[in-house]
Structure formats: structure tokens, C-alpha cells
Amino acid sequence: KHMTPFFSQHHGRQLPTELLCVEALIIQNSKQSGSRFSALLIVSSIRPIKNIRQRINLHPHARTANQMKINKNVQRSQHTLRRRPSSTSPNLLHGVRIFLLTLTCMFLAAVVLFSAFHSGKYITEVFICRTLRRSYTLEEMEAHFQCEEAFASTRSWWTSDQWREVRDLYRYFAKKNRVGTYQMAEDITFDLSEIAEPFQAGEEKGRGLRAARDIRKGENVFRMTNNTIVFIDGLTYRKFLFALEELFPTFACDIMNWNWMEDLDDDGVKFGIAVDLSDSNLVNTADEEEDVNVRCGELGKEDSCDMTFYATRYIRKGEELVTDYDDFVSPSHTFDEMGL
């Protein structure tokens, strides 16, 4: 309606509403986009309008047919104008997409190959290491854990928190290896810290235990508890040591230094590797028989050790606790029999 005066001025007479709609739509879109494509549409749409204007006064039926053609042109023009022309060539966009897709595929392929190579290498290394570790001897494990370097300097004793972590690790390990290891006394606990404390016993002995208070003769100093563990085959023993390495790298060296072969029955048929996961491992053996102040077995019943230790005499606070390893170490079995 607003374009009617414009067309009346330029064409000299009133035009039909259909023609006004076409002209208004084309001119409006050409102003908004300002593109050459829209300008061409204006020219191509004005030409048939001029021809139709010359036939405005034709027969009514002919005029109706012409209006139908105009309606089709209006629809075609509206559909064309809605499709805004792109400023980038379709062929160029297609080429860019193909290029980016190719780069992405090459990158993903490189990542997959890199991961597969390193995963395969890692799996191979793990398989080889595990296979070798199944046959490690004590000497080979000491070399692997670098125990000589670890014992070259003064070693401190383990804290209560560290012992707790090691015991937690063992309990988790024992659930997966029920056949090869067990606790000697699952329900027995004993607080060693009330009686003994760790200290540096000298350059030759290293770490040791001393009385934390005065100890009476015949008093129970320490005993077998749920912290005393046994390995009945060498493979399980090796697996536990390598599991320890992940938690504390040099703890395996201490375990190999503290553990002992023990008979598990009166006949000596059953035997295994025993170690205590507590500070009781630090007790040293006496140089002389008369220096022993703690023995395995109750006084007068030393023949039945049962991994319970008693004071052989009155021990003053601060005095080192020493025992005789022969009281509990198996005299007939060696680590070689465990495949170590």
C-alpha cells in the first residue's frame, strides 16, 4: 500500500495489488542485502511487470490468466529471495571441509599408532619382568632392590603409620593369595611400644630394640601376633616383595634382612618364611650366650618356643634387648628349598 504512490508516479496509473507486492518485496530485500544478485532479480522482475502493464485492459479471462502467472512469479521470487547468496564459493567450502577432515583423520591415526606402540611396549616389558621375577633368587632381588646401597648409610626405623600401611597392603595382598600366605595368629594382638622402643644400636648392629621401661624377670616381652606372617612358597613371597616396592622402594630390603625360615609343625615337615610386620624385627641376636636377656619360650619351658619371648633376667630401662636367633630359626630348612 505504501508503494502505490511510487508506482503511480513512475507508471502513470494504479497497478494491481499483486504487482505492488512483487515490486515491494524485491526492492525491500535489495536494500537490506545490497548484493548484485538482488539487483538482478529486480531487473528481471520489472521487465515482465512492464509487459503486463501494457495488457492491463485485456479481456477479464485473459487478465485472470495473467494474474495466475503473476502469482506464480511472486512465489518463485519470494523463494529465491529467501535463499541469501553466500559470499564464499561452495567449491571452496567443500575443499576446506575435506582438508580439515583429512587432517583430523591423520591426527587420530597417529594417536592410535603411538598409543598402540607404547602400550605394546609396556605390556611386553611387564610380561618379561613378571616372568623373570618368578625365578628371582634372594641375591637377584637384593640387586634389583639395590639393598647394598640402601644399607650403606644409617637407616631409620619405620613409623607406626608406615607399619600400618604395610599391614594394610598385606591384608589386601593375602585376600588375593590365600594359598601362599597367612597370619600365624589372626586374633592375637600385642602392644610392643609399651615395653620396647627402637634405637640405633651402633655401627655394626644398626637398628635395635631397647627397654622402654624396667622389665621384670619372666615378663612377656613380645610374642607372635596377627602381624606375624608366613609364606609357604617362594612365588608368593616374591610377589609380596615386589608389591612392597611400589609402596616403599627399600622396604623389601628390610623384609629380606629380617625374615627367617621356620618350622610350622613339630616334625619339621611343614616350613615357611616368617616375618613380623612390627618393630619386633629390630631385636638383635646376642654375640655371647650370656648376653641373652630375652628368650623364646617361658622360663623352664624353653624347648617349646611358640614365638613367645620372655625376659631371662631383670632388664633396666634403656638396656638393649637381645635374643638368640637359633631359638626360633629352623635348623633344617633353607631358602633354597623355597626356590630362592
Side-chain angles (χ1 to χ4, degrees):
K1 294 180 181 180
H2 296 291
M3 298 300 294
T4 301
F6 174 80
F7 285 106
S8 299
Q9 180 181 357
H10 287 79
H11 297 286
R13 61 179 295 175
Q14 187 75 17
L15 296 178
T17 304
E18 292 84 354
L19 299 181
L20 294 178
C21 291
V22 173
E23 291 289 341
L25 181 62
I26 293 174
I27 292 173
Q28 183 180 5
N29 280 277
S30 66
K31 287 183 179 181
Q32 291 178 357
S33 62
S35 63
R36 183 171 56 184
F37 182 67
S38 297
L40 292 175
L41 286 177
I42 294 172
V43 174
S44 63
S45 299
I46 289 177
R47 286 177 181 175
I49 289 173
K50 289 182 179 180
N51 295 332
I52 293 171
R53 184 177 180 278
Q54 295 174 358
R55 293 178 290 181
I56 289 294
N57 296 322
L58 293 177
H59 190 273
H61 295 289
R63 182 175 179 181
T64 302
N66 289 330
Q67 288 178 350
M68 293 175 65
K69 293 181 180 180
I70 291 172
N71 291 336
K72 291 181 179 179
N73 289 335
V74 169
Q75 294 177 358
R76 189 180 298 110
S77 299
Q78 290 177 348
H79 177 71
T80 304
L81 288 172
R82 288 193 188 100
R83 297 172 57 187
R84 295 300 180 91
S86 175
S87 59
T88 307
S89 173
N91 293 332
L92 179 60
L93 289 176
H94 181 70
V96 171
R97 292 191 187 99
I98 295 298
F99 176 73
L100 293 176
L101 181 61
T102 304
L103 284 181
T104 303
C105 292
M106 292 176 63
F107 174 76
L108 292 176
V111 170
V112 170
L113 290 175
F114 180 81
S115 301
F117 172 77
H118 281 271
S119 297
K121 182 179 179 182
Y122 172 76
I123 293 172
T124 302
E125 289 179 353
V126 169
F127 176 76
I128 293 175
C129 289
R130 287 184 176 178
T131 302
L132 290 175
R133 289 173 182 177
R134 288 176 179 270
S135 60
Y136 272 9
T137 63
L138 286 177
E139 290 76 13
E140 290 172 335
M141 285 191 289
E142 288 175 355
H144 173 82
F145 297 130
Q146 300 179 352
C147 295
E148 185 176 354
E149 292 81 355
F151 291 123
S153 57
T154 303
R155 290 178 64 77
S156 61
W157 46 87
W158 298 94
T159 65
S160 57
D161 291 336
Q162 290 173 322
W163 278 121
R164 188 178 302 109
E165 290 186 61
V166 171
R167 288 191 285 266
D168 290 342
L169 173 65
Y170 173 78
R171 282 191 287 268
Y172 175 78
F173 176 85
K175 289 180 181 179
K176 295 188 173 183
N177 300 270
R178 296 181 182 274
V179 177
T181 183
Y182 61 90
Q183 295 166 288
M184 295 188 70
E186 295 184 2
D187 301 327
I188 300 176
T189 59
F190 185 82
D191 189 3
L192 179 66
S193 62
E194 295 182 356
I195 300 176
E197 60 184 6
F199 79 114
Q200 294 295 339
E203 186 175 350
E204 294 183 0
K205 289 185 176 182
R207 294 164 291 183
L209 283 180
R210 63 186 177 188
R213 58 171 176 79
D214 293 344
I215 302 175
R216 303 183 311 274
K217 180 180 178 180
E219 185 176 351
N220 184 200
V221 179
F222 45 84
R223 60 175 304 172
M224 173 181 63
T225 67
N226 56 359
N227 296 328
T228 309
I229 61 176
V230 176
F231 299 94
I232 59 176
D233 64 74
L235 178 59
T236 307
Y237 174 76
R238 292 188 191 95
K239 290 168 64 177
F240 179 66
L241 292 182
F242 284 108
L244 278 177
E245 183 185 21
E246 299 179 5
L247 184 62
F248 299 117
T250 61
F251 197 89
C253 298
D254 284 329
I255 293 295
M256 288 189 288
N257 186 41
W258 294 330
N259 56 206
W260 65 91
M261 295 296 301
E262 182 171 341
D263 294 327
L264 302 178
D265 59 10
D266 296 335
D267 300 328
V269 177
K270 296 182 180 180
F271 58 93
I273 303 172
V275 67
D276 203 88
L277 301 181
S278 70
D279 286 334
S280 62
N281 290 303
L282 299 177
V283 63
N284 289 312
T285 189
D287 296 330
E288 301 293 339
E289 181 69 20
E290 57 269 15
D291 294 333
V292 174
N293 55 16
V294 175
R295 278 203 177 277
C296 184
E298 200 171 351
L299 294 181
K301 301 179 182 179
E302 290 83 355
D303 292 339
S304 59
C305 173
D306 198 27
M307 295 303 295
T308 306
F309 296 81
Y310 297 88
T312 60
R313 58 175 176 81
Y314 181 81
I315 304 173
R316 295 184 180 278
K317 179 181 178 180
E319 186 177 350
E320 183 180 4
L321 304 178
V322 290
T323 187
D324 187 355
Y325 290 165
D326 292 335
D327 288 347
F328 54 90
V329 175
S330 173
S332 57
H333 297 289
T334 64
F335 286 93
D336 293 338
E337 297 178 69
M338 302 289 291
L340 299 170

